[in-house]
Amino acid sequence: MSSLSQPSADGLKVAFRRSNGDGFVLDVSLEIAGDETVALLGPNGAGKSTLVEVIAGLQAVDAGAVVLNGTTLDDAINRIFVPADSRRIGVVFQDYLLFDHLSVHDNVAFSQQFGQKHSSDGPGVTTLMEQLDLTPLAERKPPSLSGGQRQRVALARALAMNPSALMLDEPMAALDINARSAVRCLLGQLLPTVVGPRLLITHDPVDAFLLADRICVLEGGRVTQVGTTEEIRRRPATEYIAAAMGTNLLHGHNTKGMINMAGSDLQLHTVYGGSDGPVVVTIAPNTVALHQRQPDGSPRNTWSTSVATVERRGDITRVVLAAPLPLEVDITVSAADALDVQPGSKVWAAVKATEIAVTEGRSMPHRET
Amino acid sequence: MSPSISSPGVRGSGVKSHDRAGRRATPTAIPKAVMVPAVLGLLFFAIPLIGLAARTPWADLPGLLTSPVVVDALRLSMISSLAATALAAIMGVPLAWFLARVHVPGKSIIRALVTLPLVLPPVVGGAALLFALGRRGVLGGPIESATGFLLPFSIWGVIVANTFVAMPFLVITVEGALHSSGTRHEAAAATLGAGPLTIFRRITLPMIRPSIGAGLVLTWARALGEFGATVTFAGNAPGSTRTLPLAVFVTLGQDRETAIAISMILVVVSLVVLIALRDRWWRNL
Amino acid sequence: MIVGLAMTSACGSDPGGTTADETGPLRILAAASLTDAMTDLVEGFEQQMRSDGSDVNVELNIAGSATLREQLLAGAPADVFASANSNIMAEVAATIALEGEPVPLASTSMILAMPAGNPAGITGLADLANDELLIGLCSPGVPCGDFATEVLTKSGVEPEVDTFEDDVRSLLTRITADELDAAIVYSSDIASSDGRVDSLAIPEAVNVKAESQIAALAGSNPNLARAFVNYVTSADGQAVLINHGFDPAS
């Protein structure tokens, strides 16, 4: 990661404790570089939204500090607290919190009109409205918009103040599947262009994989793991991470449901009906079957491969396959014994087309980690 | 005071499901044991109005309502009730905001104090005003000796009495609206750089505008009907303090038809207000 | 005010009956101007009855005469009515059955009342026309209001009234509390004010004779009601009234 070698003045550093009275304690230490998107994963009640509120200045720390680009925003010991209206941290709330009494244009322009403390050297309301396809909706009121449109308004509103940092709290949680993929695509294009550290709360590993440079996992108010998607997927620190992230995420290119997998000549049949182009393929480890000989019958996706590593995890055995597709496969211990899998053994892998989840990817190459 | 995100916003979906439940078909069987007292209760409210309507000299009504007694009282009532409503708006909305948003110890006592005039006999309120703002009152005395200004026996006294009795309606309506609208939009505005006063003016007030409107109309209706505090604190003189309710009281013993005519005005105005506000008032309570 | 809708049945007079047969309390409705005198009269009456060997239960209801008239016309149960003037008594008698004729109870005159020390420096009726002063009267239609109007008309003063009170006691309270500078009340009211009120006599030429009247009603206790009326017009009763600043009934 380039972020850690950059000057400490650049980016967001949070290291604080905050208890909310009913026994819950949020104790977080996290750094986000100035040009980095970190995905924040965690179960419900882990304190994800509270973390965003602390960073945005909607709650104060009990101990520790929040520092953005070298400026202390909150420091319990030195009694520094910069109020939310002076922090210039853009927040896209999970339920958007649009101002229903204002038009779409006035929502987006709110920080320009009423945020006197903010400079107006941002991208400009008109430009943002164009970029996010909101110009035709300018005079509408939020209650008459669809979920995806509201999400775009919320995003434009946060970006219009030219934020020093951007927080997105479950930006796709309230959307249906179609709007979700459109917004994901939009975020994929937008986030890298936002100057400053970005924090994306999500519970979908695909979002984290597609949109973030690193992942931070928060459980019970504490950070349980920080790392790249690959690092976390390979070595999950907790059961929650294993369950949430222990799935195969692969890039590919879709042509009428047939996916050419990146970095190999393997093609997978899927039931994907989306448009042709880059995609992310998700294959759960327990949906891949291993055989000693080429299976006959239904599964069309079969290929010959060899075993890279084998690891016992309680009742299951985690097998990692070698080329052409570095899949992680979970099989029962008895099946592993019957197959006699060892590193180097030859096996046939099979996966049903219906078990392969496909998500629209983005055209720009994802940063290699 | 920095706003905080405390209550999760579930408003949209909550309202919808409430509506759906409200439109559910009534069960076919209506128990008589419920219906009989219900109808009796309805009659209890309806019969006095029927009695009033039956005694109303409809043909003479235009003449009665344009008589100097009524015109004077009507003019006075309009001025004083509207002025009281304006005073209530200036003080009551910020007070409601304080009750809903500021965390101070003993707030239940403050709230009880603010809503006391809702349950207190108005004549007690009028007496209390007299002891505070009358010529020998705790405040009224010094004010009179310093400025020569005296509230009782003037329209100013009527306005003060009306405000005292009617403002709680605005405060509880607006406070209820502030509670149900929550603080999260205010927090969102803060992240966009809006200061506390801007948030109050540009977010908080517009979001609860319908409830402020409902509260103001209720306050006005209550002020229009105020009797006890007015007659005790401000006195009863035609042209300066004799509002419509006082005129009813005075004419009831002398000129019953005029009393009935004025009563009809008050009944009609109150009914129109309550019908116009329908569900806004009790939904927020 | 609350007016009873359901009445106890008025059985009419029963000349042959004795007080012992009569049921319920003796209900007396009395004008506000008679408040103190009437309280003493009731006490005296109860004493007299007790010494005669019968225990009576009296309910005294004090309000403005006009208010009491409204109560009576609306059917309020009552056995005795004492009005502060003859007009209201006549209006009641036109609708409600009386047990005998109304009789004069006592008389008094009107007087100017000021808070103790007369802070506004009132010197006479003419001051009531001063807009700067806070002046109170009883409402027109109320006996003390009608008497005051009569006095003012005779004296040619057009008063600048700041408040009209519903009965003389409310008016007097505003004077004792120093809320008003001057008011026209009954002379008899001054006697019961224990020095908390200053007064200024109104010249006889423009003054009035304010005569209160009392009548027994054809209620559920006609005999007891008659006995009470007899008591208050007796020497004993009149002595009580004189003691409270009234002139004896003519």
Side-chain angles (χ1 to χ4, degrees):
Chain A
M1 284 307 300
S2 56
S3 61
L4 295 175
S5 61
Q6 292 196 344
S8 62
D10 191 19
L12 179 68
K13 285 172 150 185
V14 295
F16 70 88
R17 261 177 68 88
R18 184 193 153 83
S19 54
N20 69 351
D22 60 4
F24 179 82
V25 176
L26 186 61
D27 191 342
V28 174
S29 178
L30 175 68
E31 290 192 27
I32 308 175
D35 60 348
E36 187 185 28
T37 303
V38 167
L40 186 67
L41 248 72
N44 287 336
K48 302 188 296 287
S49 295
T50 309
L51 175 60
V52 167
E53 286 166 17
V54 167
I55 295 171
L58 302 174
Q59 298 200 30
V61 302
D62 295 336
V66 176
V67 179
L68 176 62
N69 297 336
T71 307
T72 301
L73 299 179
D74 194 351
D75 186 334
I77 292 172
N78 295 313
R79 297 184 172 278
I80 295 169
F81 183 82
V82 178
D85 55 3
S86 307
R87 289 196 181 191
R88 202 159 149 179
I89 291 177
V91 184
V92 176
F93 295 89
Q94 187 171 353
D95 49 352
Y96 317 136
L97 298 176
L98 298 181
F99 307 135
D100 287 352
H101 59 284
L102 299 177
S103 68
V104 165
H105 175 272
D106 289 352
N107 265 277
V108 175
F110 188 85
S111 60
Q112 303 291 314
Q113 289 174 351
F114 303 116
Q116 296 94 333
K117 291 166 185 169
H118 290 149
S119 64
S120 49
D121 55 356
V125 172
T126 318
T127 316
L128 268 169
M129 300 268 294
E130 279 298 335
Q131 259 182 3
L132 293 182
D133 213 8
L134 292 171
T135 311
L137 310 173
E139 296 313 314
R140 299 261 293 271
K141 294 278 174 71
S144 71
L145 303 180
S146 72
Q149 290 168 335
R150 292 211 290 242
Q151 169 63 259
R152 298 210 303 275
V153 176
L155 198 56
R157 186 179 69 174
L159 292 175
M161 71 165 166
N162 192 25
S164 305
L166 185 63
M167 311 282 120
L168 300 123
D169 189 354
E170 300 261 12
M172 279 151 292
L175 300 176
D176 64 41
I177 191 92
N178 294 325
R180 190 174 297 185
S181 106
V183 167
R184 184 181 286 135
C185 196
L186 175 71
L187 286 175
Q189 292 164 9
L190 255 172
L191 282 181
T193 70
V194 175
V195 177
R198 285 91 64 181
L199 183 68
L200 168 74
I201 296 183
T202 180
H203 60 264
D204 188 342
V206 176
D207 289 338
F209 183 67
L210 270 172
L211 301 172
D213 303 302
R214 286 191 302 150
I215 292 174
C216 171
V217 185
L218 194 65
E219 292 178 68
R222 285 162 190 281
V223 174
T224 50
Q225 196 167 14
V226 182
T228 64
T229 318
E230 275 308 297
E231 287 163 6
I232 285 181
R233 226 164 50 73
R234 294 287 179 200
R235 275 175 289 287
T238 67
E239 279 179 32
Y240 165 77
I241 304 173
M245 291 297 291
T247 192
N248 296 289
L249 293 161
L250 303 154
H251 287 287
H253 190 95
N254 172 48
T255 312
K256 295 186 167 47
M258 181 72 79
I259 316 280
N260 287 304
M261 301 310 295
S264 82
D265 52 4
L266 191 66
Q267 288 193 328
L268 291 179
H269 299 269
T270 70
V271 293
Y272 184 57
S275 54
D276 293 355
V279 291
V280 169
V281 170
T282 310
I283 303 173
N286 60 2
T287 60
V288 181
L290 297 183
H291 304 271
Q292 273 175 328
R293 282 174 293 278
Q294 178 166 20
D296 24 63
S298 53
R300 282 194 288 168
N301 295 319
T302 61
W303 66 95
S304 174
T305 180
S306 62
V307 174
T309 63
V310 178
E311 186 191 345
R312 275 284 297 267
R313 288 182 181 176
D315 294 341
I316 59 148
T317 299
R318 163 67 55 96
V319 177
V320 180
L321 301 179
L325 212 54
L327 284 186
E328 295 180 20
V329 179
D330 286 346
I331 55 176
T332 61
V333 170
S334 55
D337 290 345
L339 280 167
D340 189 26
V341 286
Q342 304 287 342
S345 357
K346 296 282 175 195
V347 290
W348 282 82
V351 58
K352 289 180 183 172
T354 51
E355 300 281 12
I356 300 173
V358 182
T359 310
E360 199 175 330
R362 48 177 166 147
S363 45
M364 67 189 65
H366 187 252
R367 189 186 318 195
E368 277 310 311
T369 50
Chain B
M1 264 308 295
S2 65
S4 66
I5 300 181
S6 48
S7 54
V10 290
R11 283 205 314 138
S13 59
V15 167
K16 248 174 231 159
S17 69
H18 172 265
D19 282 352
R20 228 176 284 136
R23 287 192 199 112
R24 201 178 291 153
T26 332
T28 41
I30 300 166
K32 279 200 180 65
V34 175
M35 277 312 284
V36 170
V39 168
L40 282 176
L42 180 64
L43 288 176
F44 179 74
F45 289 120
I47 284 174
L49 287 187
I50 295 169
L52 185 62
R55 291 288 298 274
T56 302
W58 296 101
D60 304 335
L61 214 50
L64 288 169
L65 292 181
T66 50
S67 70
V69 177
V70 179
V71 170
D72 270 5
L74 187 64
R75 181 183 57 82
L76 200 59
S77 271
M78 283 298 156
I79 294 171
S80 57
S81 60
L82 288 172
T85 308
L87 265 183
I90 292 166
M91 300 187 290
V93 173
L95 185 53
W97 181 88
F98 172 82
L99 287 174
R101 292 286 190 265
V102 181
H103 302 282
V104 290
K107 197 152 75 177
S108 55
I109 295 167
I110 300 175
R111 186 178 288 111
L113 185 71
V114 168
T115 47
L116 190 63
L118 283 180
V119 288
L120 200 66
V123 62
V124 175
L129 283 171
L130 209 47
F131 302 145
L133 301 172
R135 187 154 72 165
R136 291 291 164 262
V138 184
L139 263 176
I143 290 175
E144 201 220 355
S145 48
T147 64
F149 182 73
L150 194 61
L151 283 170
F153 311 115
S154 73
I155 188 166
W156 302 108
V158 180
I159 293 168
V160 167
N162 284 359
T163 309
F164 181 81
V165 172
M167 190 163 77
F169 284 84
L170 181 67
V171 176
I172 57 166
T173 309
V174 172
E175 194 200 343
L178 283 170
H179 278 301
S180 60
S181 76
T183 59
R184 301 190 69 236
H185 287 86
E186 296 167 358
T191 67
L192 293 167
L197 187 60
T198 304
I199 292 173
F200 181 72
R201 285 178 54 222
R202 301 292 174 176
I203 303 297
T204 312
L205 286 186
M207 281 185 68
I208 57 162
R209 187 156 40 202
S211 297
I212 293 177
L216 286 176
V217 173
L218 271 172
T219 300
W220 174 72
R222 179 66 189 87
L224 191 68
E226 213 307 296
F227 172 77
T230 306
V231 79
T232 311
F233 177 59
N236 177 358
S240 64
T241 56
R242 186 173 294 167
T243 54
L244 288 174
L246 273 66
V248 172
F249 180 70
V250 169
T251 52
L252 201 54
Q254 304 164 3
D255 177 5
R256 194 151 279 207
E257 299 211 321
T258 301
I260 290 168
I262 301 172
S263 301
M264 282 309 288
I265 303 182
L266 292 170
V267 167
V268 168
V269 168
S270 306
L271 271 180
V272 166
V273 162
L274 290 174
I275 291 169
L277 293 180
R278 281 192 290 278
D279 36 38
R280 191 169 299 288
W281 158 237
W282 34 87
R283 185 186 287 168
N284 281 332
L285 267 182
Chain C
M1 96 194 73
I2 294 169
V3 175
L5 289 176
M7 272 176 287
T8 54
S9 63
C11 304
S13 62
D14 180 6
T18 63
T19 54
D21 294 339
E22 292 169 350
T23 55
L26 180 69
R27 295 188 176 90
I28 300 173
L29 308 191
S33 55
L34 299 164
T35 306
D36 303 299
M38 199 52 86
T39 309
D40 281 1
L41 284 170
V42 165
E43 206 171 292
F45 178 64
E46 281 172 341
Q47 254 169 24
Q48 194 187 64
M49 293 302 283
R50 252 196 307 277
S51 64
D52 290 353
S54 53
D55 220 1
V56 292
N57 175 17
V58 178
E59 271 181 16
L60 184 56
N61 176 2
I62 303 260
S65 302
T67 305
L68 294 173
R69 173 195 59 200
E70 295 307 311
Q71 291 180 7
L72 284 168
L73 297 184
D79 300 301
V80 175
F81 175 48
S83 164
N85 71 3
S86 54
N87 293 352
I88 287 187
M89 181 59 85
E91 282 164 30
V92 167
T95 315
I96 305 281
L98 301 186
E99 189 70 21
E101 288 297 307
V103 291
L105 176 62
S107 74
T108 183
S109 57
M110 306 314 283
I111 198 166
L112 267 173
M114 289 84 67
N118 189 8
I122 305 289
T123 56
L125 274 178
D127 288 332
L128 300 197
N130 184 346
D131 194 20
E132 299 290 301
L133 300 176
L134 292 174
I135 306 300
L137 295 179
C138 288
S139 294
V142 169
C144 64
D146 289 344
F147 287 132
T149 306
E150 214 179 316
V151 167
L152 290 163
T153 310
K154 279 189 193 173
S155 61
V157 172
E158 285 198 21
E160 289 288 342
V161 184
D162 293 287
T163 186
F164 289 98
E165 295 299 311
D166 201 40
D167 64 68
V168 71
R169 287 291 150 154
S170 312
L171 185 58
L172 202 64
T173 305
R174 291 226 194 255
I175 289 290
T176 53
D178 197 9
E179 291 162 21
L180 293 173
D181 293 320
I184 296 179
V185 300
Y186 296 114
S187 308
S188 52
D189 294 318
I190 303 300
S192 57
S193 69
D194 298 332
R196 286 172 300 161
V197 173
D198 274 15
S199 64
L200 210 56
I202 293 171
E204 213 158 319
V206 295
N207 213 327
V208 293
K209 181 182 164 197
E211 187 179 75
S212 53
Q213 293 193 328
I214 191 164
L217 307 179
S220 49
N221 282 318
N223 292 325
L224 202 53
R226 266 202 314 267
F228 182 76
V229 171
N230 286 340
Y231 168 73
V232 298
T233 48
S234 71
D236 283 353
Q238 290 295 301
V240 171
L241 285 158
I242 289 163
N243 197 30
H244 279 283
F246 287 94
D247 298 327
S250 45

